[in-house]
Amino acid sequence: MEQYEPDRLSPAQVAAVQRSFRNSRARTALSRRSLLRASTGGALALGGLGSLSACGIPAASKSGGGISSEDHSAKEKEVTFSNWTEYIDMSDDEKHRPSLEAFTKRTGIQVKYTEDINDNVEFFGKLKPQLAAGQDTGRDIIVLTDWLAARLIRYGWVQKLDAAHLPHAYTNLSGQFRDPDWDPGRAYSYPWQGIATVIAYNTKATGGKEITSVSQLLDDPKLKGRVGLLSEMRDSIGMTLLDLGKDPRTFTADDFDAATARLQKAVDKNQVRRFTGNDYIADLSKGDLAACLAWAGDVVQLQADNPDVKFAIPDAGYISSTDNMLIPNKARHKTNAEKLMDYYYEPAVGAQLAAWINYVTPLDSSVVKPELAKIDKDVANDPLIVPDKAMAARAHSFRSLTAKEETAFEEKFAQLTGG
């Protein structure tokens, strides 16, 4: 078990944290669909992990596994669930959460559902004192993006799941999400939803031309000055690595440098208009950006309003990440939490959630697509929500980074983006 030691942020990592907040997805103030994932592991030190030693909180233990406590699930029919805003199905009048209410009706377990996550780093700052001290956070389920979930697992701050309580999750989880390098076999986490990085383009701005590769983004002279790349290092570098024939799951430092040089060349010849958070949305819809790297959830929403917006999955593949459910150490209702996690892997329930959220469902297409078709055939047939086998096969995750790599890579990416 890795022991936590406060990190010192390099100037590049500080800039990366500031990018994450500055570029927050904010089409609406409280929309999970429009919130940017804070992406830098080094960000944890700013207002997060870095302040632990200063306030006298001991470092995480090196003992194996998370810290459990007496499970009160049998006597206390309740579970506390912290999630991102606008990240669960709601009734039209926004007064009810149908799937949660159905779970309570079936099991008798009351769900205290709180939309108190607006940013990974900010939310973790709330929990760090209790987690580091081995205390109950007051939450039974938390939802974190994969890079932060990986760190909590390494520090021993979340509990190992009981597979016996997760039969639907184990059976119905899509193969593309089954075995991340940071949680092999999903021993500590299960995805809530997936996030895909794709190419988006406006056919009016491209003159009807399809944009299907990163090479086109970086080299096509007809797109000069009208290309957008993402200010999140894992997305832009990851997609470029794939275009260069490198695997983001196994790349070397030399591979990273090659991808950076590839992007620098495009920047130097003014091919790239700018690096953005999801503020590409307005520019792409208007045609100020002809094409860009984009997040699939945004593309689904854009297409509903603008039929000129199209997307492409490069033959080389795309970057896939996840927001994940975890049970913190000392949670009082572990079994109830596992029952709720498993509930969302029942095909009909998973379909209900996907139809409302429009992010990538973590359920295997063979089980969730028939149920989605009963709700909305267009959603069921949208590969940005239910990846078909061909799309799933092209999904690639960005490998976990060491603290040393994080510092070095963010420094180089900052020089590229001017951040």
Side-chain angles (χ1 to χ4, degrees), residues 113-301:
Y113 186 83
T114 307
E115 295 180 322
D116 57 350
I117 307 178
N118 289 303
D119 177 274
N120 284 289
V121 176
E122 178 188 35
F123 179 70
F124 190 72
K126 300 176 184 179
L127 304 191
K128 62 180 174 61
Q130 297 100 317
L131 287 170
Q135 299 172 351
D136 182 10
T137 65
R139 297 165 173 86
D140 300 304
I141 299 176
I142 56 178
V143 178
L144 300 174
T145 306
D146 44 21
W147 63 267
L148 181 52
R151 287 207 167 192
L152 267 64
I153 292 170
R154 293 202 306 271
Y155 293 148
W157 288 354
V158 294
Q159 297 187 52
K160 191 171 185 178
L161 302 174
D162 186 341
H165 296 155
L166 294 155
H168 294 98
Y170 179 81
T171 300
N172 295 331
L173 178 63
S174 171
Q176 76 177 85
F177 300 125
R178 278 192 180 274
D179 202 33
D181 65 353
W182 48 271
D183 187 18
R186 291 289 179 182
Y188 293 89
S189 68
Y190 267 94
W192 176 248
Q193 295 292 286
I195 304 165
T197 303
V198 300
I199 292 173
Y201 58 98
N202 185 316
T203 53
K204 278 191 175 180
T206 65
K209 186 176 184 178
E210 295 182 349
I211 310 301
T212 60
S213 71
V214 173
S215 289
Q216 277 182 279
L217 290 177
L218 302 182
D219 296 329
D220 190 336
K222 293 184 179 179
L223 301 178
K224 185 175 181 178
R226 298 186 295 151
V227 170
L229 300 177
L230 291 168
S231 60
E232 297 308 313
M233 182 263 287
R234 287 168 175 80
D235 293 303
S236 288
I237 293 293
M239 293 292 282
T240 307
L241 284 167
L242 287 167
D243 194 68
L244 292 171
K246 303 296 182 179
D247 190 341
R249 293 168 292 194
T250 59
F251 71 90
T252 65
D254 287 343
D255 295 333
F256 184 93
D257 289 345
T260 302
R262 180 82 174 86
L263 292 174
Q264 187 66 62
K265 181 180 179 181
V267 169
D268 291 344
K269 65 181 182 182
N270 297 318
Q271 181 77 4
V272 178
R273 183 183 183 94
R274 62 193 180 105
F275 288 81
T276 74
N278 84 323
D279 43 334
Y280 62 76
I281 291 171
D283 287 346
L284 181 65
S285 186
K286 291 186 296 183
D288 292 342
L289 285 177
C292 63
L293 294 180
W295 290 298
D298 291 332
V299 176
V300 173
Q301 298 300 316

Side-chain angles (χ1 to χ4, degrees), residues 24-36 84-86 115 117-119 122:
S24 289
R25 297 184 190 179
R27 273 185 290 161
T28 60
L30 294 176
S31 176
R32 172 64 182 99
R33 297 185 185 121
S34 55
L35 283 166
L36 176 63
W84 298 74
T85 54
E86 299 284 336
E115 295 180 322
I117 307 178
N118 289 303
D119 177 274
E122 178 188 35

Side-chain angles (χ1 to χ4, degrees), residues 60-112:
S61 168
K62 286 188 177 181
S63 61
I67 302 172
S68 61
S69 62
E70 182 182 354
D71 190 351
H72 298 268
S73 293
K75 295 182 179 180
E76 299 176 4
K77 292 291 186 179
E78 60 186 83
V79 62
T80 301
F81 186 178
S82 282
N83 204 350
W84 298 74
T85 54
E86 299 284 336
Y87 213 19
I88 200 168
D89 56 301
M90 295 188 70
S91 59
D92 290 341
D93 62 8
E94 298 187 354
K95 294 181 179 180
H96 302 278
R97 298 184 176 96
S99 63
L100 286 180
E101 292 178 6
F103 173 79
T104 297
K105 183 176 181 180
R106 181 200 297 181
T107 64
I109 298 171
Q110 296 291 328
V111 182
K112 181 181 178 182

